[in-house]
Amino acid sequence: LLGSASFWAGLTMGIPVSWWLSRFRPKFLGIVALSLAGLFLLFQGLAVNFAMLLVGRLGLGLSPLIRDPARSLLINMWFRPREFLLITGLAHTMWGILVGGGMLATPYILDLVDNEWRTVLYTFATAFAVLTLLWTILGRERIASLEPRDPTLKAPSVSMRVLTYRDLWLIGV
Protein backbone atom coordinates (compact mmCIF):
# COMPACT_ATOMS: atom_id res chain seq x y z
CA LEU A 1 0.00 0.00 0.00
CA LEU A 2 2.76 2.42 0.94
CA GLY A 3 4.77 1.82 -2.23
CA SER A 4 1.78 2.39 -4.50
CA ALA A 5 0.28 5.34 -2.58
CA SER A 6 1.58 7.98 -4.98
CA PHE A 7 0.00 6.09 -7.88
CA TRP A 8 -3.32 5.96 -6.02
CA ALA A 9 -3.19 9.74 -5.74
CA GLY A 10 -2.77 9.96 -9.51
CA LEU A 11 -5.53 7.46 -10.16
CA THR A 12 -8.10 9.18 -7.98
CA MET A 13 -7.15 12.82 -8.49
CA GLY A 14 -5.51 12.98 -11.92
CA ILE A 15 -8.37 14.35 -14.00
CA PRO A 16 -9.95 16.78 -11.51
CA VAL A 17 -6.63 18.22 -10.31
CA SER A 18 -5.20 18.60 -13.82
CA TRP A 19 -8.40 20.17 -15.12
CA TRP A 20 -8.62 22.63 -12.23
CA LEU A 21 -4.93 23.57 -12.31
CA SER A 22 -4.82 24.15 -16.08
CA ARG A 23 -6.17 27.67 -15.46
CA PHE A 24 -3.03 28.79 -13.59
CA ARG A 25 0.24 30.11 -14.97
CA PRO A 26 2.77 27.34 -15.64
CA LYS A 27 5.65 28.98 -13.79
CA PHE A 28 3.54 29.19 -10.65
CA LEU A 29 2.45 25.56 -11.04
CA GLY A 30 6.07 24.49 -11.40
CA ILE A 31 6.99 26.27 -8.19
CA VAL A 32 4.05 24.69 -6.36
CA ALA A 33 4.77 21.19 -7.73
CA LEU A 34 8.46 21.28 -6.84
CA SER A 35 7.81 22.83 -3.42
CA LEU A 36 5.16 20.26 -2.53
CA ALA A 37 7.35 17.38 -3.67
CA GLY A 38 10.13 18.60 -1.40
CA LEU A 39 7.79 19.23 1.52
CA PHE A 40 6.16 15.80 1.24
CA LEU A 41 9.59 14.13 1.07
CA LEU A 42 10.54 16.06 4.20
CA PHE A 43 7.23 15.02 5.82
CA GLN A 44 8.01 11.37 5.09
CA GLY A 45 11.44 11.78 6.66
CA LEU A 46 9.84 13.20 9.79
CA ALA A 47 7.13 10.52 9.93
CA VAL A 48 6.72 8.69 13.22
CA ASN A 49 4.04 6.23 12.10
CA PHE A 50 2.58 4.49 9.07
CA ALA A 51 -0.25 7.00 8.65
CA MET A 52 2.23 9.87 8.29
CA LEU A 53 4.25 7.90 5.73
CA LEU A 54 1.06 7.14 3.79
CA VAL A 55 0.00 10.79 3.79
CA GLY A 56 3.50 11.77 2.66
CA ARG A 57 3.39 9.26 -0.21
CA LEU A 58 -0.10 10.36 -1.27
CA GLY A 59 1.01 14.01 -1.16
CA LEU A 60 4.11 13.21 -3.16
CA GLY A 61 1.84 11.63 -5.77
CA LEU A 62 0.05 14.98 -6.19
CA SER A 63 3.23 16.70 -7.33
CA PRO A 64 3.25 15.21 -10.87
CA LEU A 65 -0.45 16.04 -11.16
CA ILE A 66 0.43 19.67 -10.60
CA ARG A 67 3.52 19.53 -12.82
CA ASP A 68 1.85 17.91 -15.85
CA PRO A 69 -0.57 20.76 -16.73
CA ALA A 70 2.32 23.21 -16.33
CA ARG A 71 4.47 21.15 -18.67
CA SER A 72 1.72 21.00 -21.28
CA LEU A 73 1.16 24.74 -21.07
CA LEU A 74 4.89 25.46 -21.34
CA ILE A 75 5.28 23.15 -24.33
CA ASN A 76 2.32 24.89 -25.93
CA MET A 77 3.95 28.28 -25.30
CA TRP A 78 7.42 27.42 -26.59
CA PHE A 79 6.87 24.90 -29.40
CA ARG A 80 4.73 24.54 -32.49
CA PRO A 81 1.79 22.10 -32.38
CA ARG A 82 3.54 19.65 -34.73
CA GLU A 83 6.43 19.46 -32.21
CA PHE A 84 4.19 18.81 -29.20
CA LEU A 85 4.40 15.00 -29.24
CA LEU A 86 8.17 14.92 -29.66
CA ILE A 87 8.77 17.44 -26.88
CA THR A 88 6.29 15.66 -24.60
CA GLY A 89 8.11 12.37 -25.29
CA LEU A 90 11.44 14.00 -24.46
CA ALA A 91 9.99 15.40 -21.23
CA HIS A 92 8.72 11.96 -20.21
CA THR A 93 12.11 10.46 -21.05
CA MET A 94 13.94 13.05 -18.97
CA TRP A 95 11.55 12.44 -16.06
CA GLY A 96 12.18 8.69 -16.37
CA ILE A 97 15.92 9.28 -16.32
CA LEU A 98 15.54 11.49 -13.24
CA VAL A 99 13.38 8.97 -11.37
CA GLY A 100 15.49 6.03 -12.51
CA GLY A 101 18.65 7.89 -11.57
CA GLY A 102 17.20 8.59 -8.15
CA MET A 103 16.41 4.90 -7.69
CA LEU A 104 19.90 3.93 -8.82
CA ALA A 105 21.50 6.53 -6.56
CA THR A 106 19.46 5.61 -3.47
CA PRO A 107 21.59 2.59 -2.42
CA TYR A 108 24.76 4.65 -2.76
CA ILE A 109 23.26 7.50 -0.77
CA LEU A 110 22.13 4.97 1.86
CA ASP A 111 25.72 3.72 2.09
CA LEU A 112 26.99 7.27 2.52
CA VAL A 113 24.57 7.95 5.40
CA ASP A 114 24.93 4.62 7.25
CA ASN A 115 21.57 3.30 5.98
CA GLU A 116 19.58 6.14 7.53
CA TRP A 117 16.54 6.21 5.23
CA ARG A 118 15.33 9.47 6.73
CA THR A 119 18.56 11.16 5.67
CA VAL A 120 17.97 9.96 2.11
CA LEU A 121 14.52 11.56 2.16
CA TYR A 122 16.05 14.76 3.56
CA THR A 123 18.65 14.66 0.77
CA PHE A 124 15.98 14.39 -1.93
CA ALA A 125 13.88 17.09 -0.20
CA THR A 126 16.93 19.37 -0.30
CA ALA A 127 17.40 18.58 -4.00
CA PHE A 128 13.80 19.61 -4.63
CA ALA A 129 14.38 22.84 -2.68
CA VAL A 130 17.33 23.61 -4.98
CA LEU A 131 15.23 22.75 -8.07
CA THR A 132 12.45 25.01 -6.78
CA LEU A 133 14.89 27.87 -6.37
CA LEU A 134 16.38 27.30 -9.84
CA TRP A 135 12.92 27.16 -11.45
CA THR A 136 11.86 30.32 -9.60
CA ILE A 137 14.93 32.18 -10.90
CA LEU A 138 15.35 30.66 -14.38
CA GLY A 139 11.86 29.48 -15.37
CA ARG A 140 10.25 31.51 -18.15
CA GLU A 141 6.88 31.70 -19.79
CA ARG A 142 6.15 32.88 -23.27
CA ILE A 143 3.01 34.93 -23.47
CA ALA A 144 2.64 35.13 -27.26
CA SER A 145 1.76 31.89 -29.00
CA LEU A 146 3.77 30.71 -31.99
CA GLU A 147 0.67 30.04 -34.07
CA PRO A 148 -2.77 31.64 -33.80
CA ARG A 149 -5.35 29.67 -31.83
CA ASP A 150 -9.04 29.37 -32.56
CA PRO A 151 -10.62 32.04 -30.30
CA THR A 152 -13.94 30.16 -30.28
CA LEU A 153 -12.41 27.30 -28.30
CA LYS A 154 -12.95 27.71 -24.58
CA ALA A 155 -11.26 25.49 -21.97
CA PRO A 156 -14.41 23.94 -20.44
CA SER A 157 -15.90 23.05 -23.84
CA VAL A 158 -12.58 21.59 -25.02
CA SER A 159 -12.23 19.59 -21.80
CA MET A 160 -15.70 18.16 -22.13
CA ARG A 161 -15.26 17.43 -25.82
CA VAL A 162 -12.03 15.51 -25.11
CA LEU A 163 -14.01 13.15 -22.86
CA THR A 164 -16.17 12.12 -25.84
CA TYR A 165 -13.27 10.51 -27.74
CA ARG A 166 -13.60 6.74 -27.43
CA ASP A 167 -9.95 6.15 -28.37
CA LEU A 168 -8.71 8.23 -25.43
CA TRP A 169 -10.84 6.16 -23.05
CA LEU A 170 -9.45 2.94 -24.53
CA ILE A 171 -5.86 4.16 -24.24
CA GLY A 172 -6.50 5.27 -20.66
CA VAL A 173 -7.86 1.90 -19.65
Side-chain angles (χ1 to χ4, degrees):
L1 178 64
L2 191 59
S4 64
S6 60
F7 298 107
W8 285 106
L11 175 68
T12 58
M13 300 299 296
I15 292 174
V17 168
S18 295
W19 176 73
W20 183 69
L21 291 175
S22 65
R23 66 189 78 212
F24 294 101
R25 309 279 319 164
K27 182 170 182 177
F28 170 74
L29 291 176
I31 293 168
V32 170
L34 291 168
S35 298
L36 284 179
L39 288 173
F40 280 113
L41 284 166
L42 178 63
F43 186 77
Q44 289 176 72
L46 297 171
V48 294
N49 57 40
F50 180 79
M52 287 179 71
L53 280 172
L54 185 61
V55 168
R57 292 294 297 164
L58 287 168
L60 185 63
L62 290 175
S63 178
L65 300 180
I66 297 168
R67 181 201 67 228
D68 287 346
R71 181 181 55 212
S72 295
L73 291 169
L74 286 167
I75 290 171
N76 191 41
M77 287 177 177
W78 287 97
F79 299 95
R80 298 191 185 325
R82 69 178 181 276
E83 299 168 326
F84 186 85
L85 293 177
L86 174 64
I87 300 303
T88 301
L90 289 171
H92 281 290
T93 301
M94 289 189 314
W95 180 249
I97 291 169
L98 178 70
V99 171
M103 288 180 173
L104 289 173
T106 298
Y108 298 106
I109 296 171
L110 276 168
D111 280 344
L112 289 173
V113 296
D114 295 325
N115 290 321
E116 288 290 329
W117 60 271
R118 292 177 192 275
T119 306
V120 174
L121 290 169
Y122 300 149
T123 301
F124 286 131
T126 302
F128 271 95
V130 170
L131 288 172
T132 302
L133 181 63
L134 287 172
W135 176 248
T136 302
I137 295 168
L138 301 174
R140 298 284 180 259
E141 296 176 355
R142 185 177 190 170
I143 303 304
S145 178
L146 294 175
E147 294 181 11
R149 305 280 186 239
D150 185 352
T152 62
L153 295 177
K154 294 188 172 99
S157 66
V158 171
S159 299
M160 291 312 204
R161 194 173 64 212
V162 164
L163 296 176
T164 65
Y165 288 98
R166 180 187 58 135
D167 296 338
L168 289 176
W169 285 98
L170 292 173
I171 291 170
V173 173

